[in-house]
Amino acid sequence: MPREEVGVILGGPQGSGIETSMMVLTRALARHGFGVIADREYFSNITGRHSYIHMLISSKSIPRAVRYPVDIVASMDAETLFTHISDVGVGGYIVYDTSVAMKKLEEIPSIEDTTKSRIAEKLRGLGVDTTVSSILRFLERERGCRLVGLDFAALLRRLLARYRIEPRLLSRYVSGIIVSAVATLLNLDRRAIEYSLSLQFGGREELVEQNLELLKYVEDGMQSLRGAVALEKPRQSFRKILVATGNDAVAMGKIVGGLRYQSYYPITPAADESFTIERHEYSSVDGVDVGPVVVMQTEDEISAVCSAIGAALAGARSATATSGPGFDLMVEGLSWAGANEVPVVITYYQRGGPSTGQPTRGSQSDLFNALFAGHGEFARIVISSGDHEEAFYDAVEAFNLAERFQVPVIHLLDKFLANSIKTTPLPDVDSVRIVRGMVTGGGRGYKRFDLSSTVSPRAFLGAEDTIMWYTGDEHDEYGHIVEDPENRRAMYSKRIVKMDMILSEIPRERKLTVYGDEDPEYIVVGWGSVKGAALDAIEALSRKGFRGAYVNVRLLWPFPGREVLEILTRVPSNRVVAVEHSYGVLISDLAAMAAGVRIRRGVAKFTGRPITSTELEEALHKIITSGVERVVLSYGA
Amino acid sequence: MPREEVGVILGGPQGSGIETSMMVLTRALARHGFGVIADREYFSNITGRHSYIHMLISSKSIPRAVRYPVDIVASMDAETLFTHISDVGVGGYIVYDTSVAMKKLEEIPSIEDTTKSRIAEKLRGLGVDTTVSSILRFLERERGCRLVGLDFAALLRRLLARYRIEPRLLSRYVSGIIVSAVATLLNLDRRAIEYSLSLQFGGREELVEQNLELLKYVEDGMQSLRGAVALEKPRQSFRKILVATGNDAVAMGKIVGGLRYQSYYPITPAADESFTIERHEYSSVDGVDVGPVVVMQTEDEISAVCSAIGAALAGARSATATSGPGFDLMVEGLSWAGANEVPVVITYYQRGGPSTGQPTRGSQSDLFNALFAGHGEFARIVISSGDHEEAFYDAVEAFNLAERFQVPVIHLLDKFLANSIKTTPLPDVDSVRIVRGMVTGGGRGYKRFDLSSTVSPRAFLGAEDTIMWYTGDEHDEYGHIVEDPENRRAMYSKRIVKMDMILSEIPRERKLTVYGDEDPEYIVVGWGSVKGAALDAIEALSRKGFRGAYVNVRLLWPFPGREVLEILTRVPSNRVVAVEHSYGVLISDLAAMAAGVRIRRGVAKFTGRPITSTELEEALHKIITSGVERVVLSYGA
Amino acid sequence: MEHRSYKTDLWVDWCPGCGNFGILTAVIRAFEELSLDPSKTVIVSGIGCSGKTPHFVNVNGVHTLHGRAIPFAMGIKLANPQLTVVVHGGDGDLLGIGAGHFVALGRRNIDVTVIFHNNGVYGLTKGQASPTLPLNTKTKALAKPNIQQAVNPVALALSAGYTFVARGYAFDGEHLKNLIKRAILHKGAAFIDVLQPCITFNDVYTAEYYRKRVYKLEDEGSWNPVVERPGDRSSKLLKAIERSFEWGDRIPIGVFYEDAHTTTLEERFSQRLKVYPAVAPSNSRIAESDGRPVVDRRRFEEVFREFIVDVEGV
Amino acid sequence: MEHRSYKTDLWVDWCPGCGNFGILTAVIRAFEELSLDPSKTVIVSGIGCSGKTPHFVNVNGVHTLHGRAIPFAMGIKLANPQLTVVVHGGDGDLLGIGAGHFVALGRRNIDVTVIFHNNGVYGLTKGQASPTLPLNTKTKALAKPNIQQAVNPVALALSAGYTFVARGYAFDGEHLKNLIKRAILHKGAAFIDVLQPCITFNDVYTAEYYRKRVYKLEDEGSWNPVVERPGDRSSKLLKAIERSFEWGDRIPIGVFYEDAHTTTLEERFSQRLKVYPAVAPSNSRIAESDGRPVVDRRRFEEVFREFIVDVEGV
Ligand SMILES: Cc1ncc(C[n+]2csc(CCOP(=O)(O)OP(=O)(O)O)c2C)c(N)n1
Ligand SMILES: Cc1ncc(C[n+]2csc(CCOP(=O)(O)OP(=O)(O)O)c2C)c(N)n1
Ligand code: SF4
Ligand code: SF4
Ligand SMILES: [Mg+2]
Ligand SMILES: [Mg+2]
């Protein structure tokens, strides 16, 4: 029977083409009209460590989060099988290379020792030997899984017999085997795959052809399984759909929003955003310039933020993108921007900390760093996005807010969003507006920091007949250093009272959005990439009779305390649950501080892996039915 | 009639010896047995801007804070008179150079334009001309001030006639004139001044002699005024007393506490601490080594914190000292120290921010930066000191806490404390204990991050027969990188649960101290250098019948929420007032977050000048009697 | 912009006799002689006594963070390549905390001029040793002799890739002014090491000291620092470095190296960005007059086609 | 410490064929031949593929922050001068984000060895241009040719003051091992630029490329990089810099410069701290056995007498 949703894991060593498999499958699925979300899990390593893609494919809507168990595990290697033994559901399909059947856990060097002992212990508990074949037998026997064993080497030999392929490049086609097997199980159309391969390989026709040939071989061997995991007919009707990561969504948003200077120092998971921007740094469409964006790889993050501030002073919409370690280095610059009322945007992708932490894993543990790092008091805005779509619009909005209020804006995202691929409707760019705030041509006697209004009219460096000064020291209206206590009081206050202005001028729906039941029994509060799993979980619980709502906080600072308070007090305080990818569930502390409301129930996850719908549903259920105060999640390899 | 307390302002251009005057007077007063506190106010400038010393001298106790108005204004120049016109009390004494009588406000280039207009306006309001002589006449007429005009040039000529002094060095003796005049008004003993001068000028006998000679000339011209502002006989009986700044107190504390590596990058108001340490980097007392302390001027603050961490790994008690801009640059290093459980101490002296801000002025606006900067979650300790004495003991305690809990410790101070001079009883070093926590010799198979206890036994790099690894990445017990989710959960939690341990093991009196009435009607909450003024203010108010208590929060993080809550709920919530040198009175937010208590009354000061007892008393009075919610203070030039 | 004085009327609060006064005068005279449009000129400075310079000059001034003037200047210049950008920094600023950026600018050859206030001390923080103070030197502000070696700013600039490298002396105003003019006119990253007596803290490298030792490279008829052909670079560079080692009894000032054959970063960007620098970040259109973005629906689909899948519902 | 292998049994997760394997082997062999006591040896690294090195070597390892290995190493070495400290860093690590510290170490001449993994790319972040990649080079990982010039690490180290400067090649293991030994034995800041092919991202500077071009300086009989007398420093330095310019068809490896006459920072500290380095931060006593500080009441009054006023109550 065709399914509404299908979950897939594609696994293999880093550098072996697993990402290519993901892209080819996702675009083919999108071509069909299915919705796809795909989380990417990988080590801080270039070649060899275990990497996997965790997808959810839907015929009814665009999926919002991944979930366990999955229906298909497609493995390129033995490690995938050892690692994902628990992830496949009853009756699931296991695609594997028959040549790895005899591999033993002990023989696999790329598995970390701690993980290895953990897996060994688990297998012992299950009474399963540490070989691939015993795992496969176990899955078949205990979980009713269907084993799809393919002889990878034989398939590749067939390909080699037909095409002139350099033997050392042959391993690159393994990802094609995976694609083919999954496509066959899903019963994807050959033309959709061809379309997707053409996009993937650009002009390289021979690669498209070879992969289609490989598809044929795999199909041949899987006749009985074609469509075994078929999806229902897609219910959505988009004519065009975006297939992009969160990084890409932000990049597109920035360019639409008028970005003209982007600095970066390479860092995971931020750097991909800058590469996307660089690819689109300038286009001329029918004689109209889109750009130019100066994309500058700087010598460090200090230079990234300082040069972005410089560009902003010259009138360019200017941004930088980084993650925790890099942000730490930007703090002094941020404080300068605060003191000088500079509209600069920092796109901050959280990863696992502290320090280098888990560079390629996700977290939301940098909330307070984004909100409070920086010496001295000054206004800043911190916004977050719940999904790819929000990320696009927020990337534009970040500039608008920065320029309207003349403050630095931090757009706080995370690795989960940054690196996951999602099908998303094309943004409605025609609804977007560019708001540059108080801009003036300057002129003689221009006062950059005119005290007669909270936001002083801003002239750009280089404006005709205009001179201005900036300094990180306390300054007078012209921007010259003064230490006078009365001026200090006025200038310092001017900058800080913007916080009130921001809170009163930003519309409610930009501050937070509420989903779910109109009359909830319990309320879940979260921000950023918690959204997808939270919406899934409350929906699932509502089917079980629990009426829930989700508050997606989008404006993190200044914190919309009034609005949050108003919503959270609709249910008894033990029915409010905060959810976050962190240990401390920091949004609770923030609400206590800025809304005066104590959120006493929490769901935390800090393994670096994303919260999945299934485990969140379970945790919420436990909290609302049993009075448990805190649940720590940890599912995911 | 002799007085219990005398307030003095000494004013003159930066670089003209005003600090020497302060030191000579303070030590002479201490020699007498008086208590002295002296706040130093100066511009971010080397030569020429207005600098002043604001002292309070007491016969009954050691003064805790300065207050307005003062009894004596001793001026080296016209600017001092223009600047401090409001600061002298009724019947006060004005020491000035008769040759500046005709100076006009407009003619003084070193006064900033904003200040100049403000003063001009004030004078206009008072109906006073913009000349020194009209100000003097006004003070004499309206405030009953006594004018002590001295012909500085004539005095110096007399000196020159007697001694071979290079004419270009003559101006250095002006500070001696000021000292002499104030000493005469206070009726200080000649021998006390001689003692003080000898300490000041070390071996340079001729300087002592010349200054004593100058004292004679000045006394000659002030016969009728000798003892005009005499103090009562001192009531205290110390045999020895420290005369030191807060920077010095911390330096001494660090050395007593076993500091062995101190890195710094020059920055106001932290650098003086390192110079004091450098002067005492090594001594051999009766063959016992005190030290050696390696004091390293690094290339930046990043290197300062990273090298301090390195030294800590090698087993040295290790610290760095900085202020806001420098701390910002240390954040990434701090996060590494958190991840690697390194006992390193950062002494953080707050100054006016944001950015370069007011580099030589004070603030407490960096509270949240100290508490929350750094990506990822990890345990840290933040302590603050209310006065010089606390600063000494806390400097020792910082190391003890760091090593006991193996966490970075931030000792949060500010410019007010750092730069003010105070007479302080000698610390009771014999009561001090060095606690190094879990230290081991290591050995084969050593696991630096042994998970069997929250604080793992620490071996030093270089320990015999021992190898260990450190990494900022998430790691296993040996310190090797691992990304395993279960290990992540265990190791991440191990580091964070230290917070609970810290809260339960630190004794209450190290968390906070409560002063004042046992049964208060109102409670003032503050931290750091608010203490002195707060104690003075509640004492003064208690004399007026208002029973108050002051809660001096010493452990800022982890915040002693339980204890704070317990105390603050003793009075109605509208009777709790937070006081801070900041705009936001951030301790209120902290209490809301970490103790769940909303403090709705606040006193803020953010001009960069210290809160004085008098204005705080007034503000508190207003709040407790009239229901005013917030008072912003701004007294002080 | 109509003529006005290049000097602001703020009180200059350096110590009387400070070498910075000489630098300030030379800068102002250079600007005057080049008739720079004040509104198209930006002085970017770090933090220190030297960092205050922009406030005293009547052109745009950006007084940044300690050590970070170069990155700010980069952003300003790349966003608006029409501007003349001059960086002022101290020796602590540019070669202590800012040394990383100093090296990076050399690699980029952005068309900015860096004026290095070389006083051997951290002036504004009261006289600690700066990176140019030689080993074992004990100025009066230091409790103990300097424990670190000096870095040679001229050699470092040359190694890092600056295409114009010179040295001036604060109190040889005419000569310094000419160097500054030449540096500003040079297309590419220009560096001037200015020997600057600090009267308050450095009693070793005084005006007296320099007056006796300084001589002009150009007074040697044979000295030619100009790279005439790209192939000459190495040999000219090596000669310049050799000359930079000279210190002690005779201290050369003048131009050490000048290479007009290396492309600037702006030129390299113009290869990639087609319309740059004429159309630049600071002057390119981002929105229609009603606020709609330049990137409308159609342009969006065109520009970002790599992300768009045409759904066929096959 | 009894003998054990200098190699940990962790899986080395570099790409097969990476030049880092060559460096790792050379380091381990150098340690072996020098019989370094693993517990008295510390490898300090930055972040990058290169930064993982300490985990693979069975001596103490401190894997620090991106660009900050040198400051960490400084603290470790100054606190315990008995330790042998070796820094491993990438080209992005040491000359991009860490260039400021790189220059500062030259000024200090601390006795540590810096091994520079020069692969022309930011390996661990997937192949962006590093500061040693020449202008206009387009590796396969780059979308567009490199827009920044390369810095010359050897010239920069020489200008910054390193007293031992060499270049090795990752796949000439014997030669590299010998360089590492000599660098470790050198008293002072030693720098080895190691040409390290990155098989995954740098398809220009490959093993093939280097194999064809690399030659040994010492094969020229006349080459003598050693400063025999302090007076020779400038001339030797200049020769070394000249040689560092050589790149292209022939790429020299070997020792460029070696100067044993400059005092180390540790020696300079020993002047000030008397008992140092024998009594050092890591081994000096701070407390009595009962926890009372070494600085008791009497010693306090002695050490801090400058702050103490004897009250007379005159
Ligand atoms: C991040 C940071 N660290 C330290 C300081 C303190 N500081 C102000 S000026 C200065 C040094 C000035 O020396 P230099 O750069 O040589 O300039 P000069 O005053 O000599 O012109 C320092 C360290 C600062 N402002 N910011
Ligand atoms: C402050 C900071 N910024 C950025 C990063 C991300 N990062 C990790 S490795 C690396 C560069 C590695 O390049 P290189 O130093 O040349 O070492 P390689 O991998 O080539 O050995 C970067 C930028 C980081 N870890 N920390
Ligand atoms: S301290 Fe030195 S550099 Fe600074 S203004 Fe005074 S003389 Fe000039
Ligand atoms: S990416 Fe390059 S440098 Fe890194 S391990 Fe692979 S081959 Fe080596
Ligand atoms: Mg200087
Ligand atoms: Mg590299």
Side-chain angles (χ1 to χ4, degrees), chain C residues 166-219:
Chain C
R167 182 185 284 139
Y169 170 46
F171 290 131
D172 190 340
E174 178 68 15
H175 181 256
L176 179 58
K177 177 211 68 186
N178 287 329
L179 287 180
I180 294 172
K181 283 172 68 178
R182 202 161 147 189
I184 290 175
L185 293 173
H186 173 76
K187 285 262 153 288
F191 173 72
I192 309 177
D193 173 22
V194 185
L195 306 172
Q196 177 236 319
C198 166
I199 195 145
T200 304
F201 296 118
N202 193 334
D203 55 346
V204 178
Y205 294 93
T206 58
E208 176 75 2
Y209 180 95
Y210 287 126
R211 198 179 43 73
K212 289 198 190 130
R213 291 168 172 83
V214 147
Y215 76 94
K216 302 199 174 69
L217 284 166
E218 56 269 34
D219 286 351

Side-chain angles (χ1 to χ4, degrees), chain B residues 402-474:
Chain B
E403 291 196 330
R404 266 175 69 194
F405 300 107
Q406 298 183 10
V407 294
V409 171
I410 297 166
H411 186 186
L412 190 58
L413 299 152
D414 60 44
K415 179 261 165 179
F416 304 121
L417 184 83
N419 286 178
S420 64
I421 282 273
K422 204 177 158 187
T423 56
T424 315
L426 261 57
D428 181 11
V429 285
D430 295 330
S431 74
V432 167
R433 286 295 171 279
I434 306 285
V435 185
R436 304 213 63 173
M438 293 288 279
V439 174
T440 169
R444 299 203 69 164
Y446 173 65
K447 295 177 181 176
R448 171 66 189 95
F449 302 102
D450 193 324
L451 278 167
S452 60
S453 58
T454 301
V455 175
S456 318
R458 188 167 74 100
F460 305 149
L461 286 178
E464 295 299 326
D465 215 18
T466 304
I467 297 178
M468 68 199 83
W469 288 270
Y470 285 97
T471 174
D473 286 70
E474 193 54 273

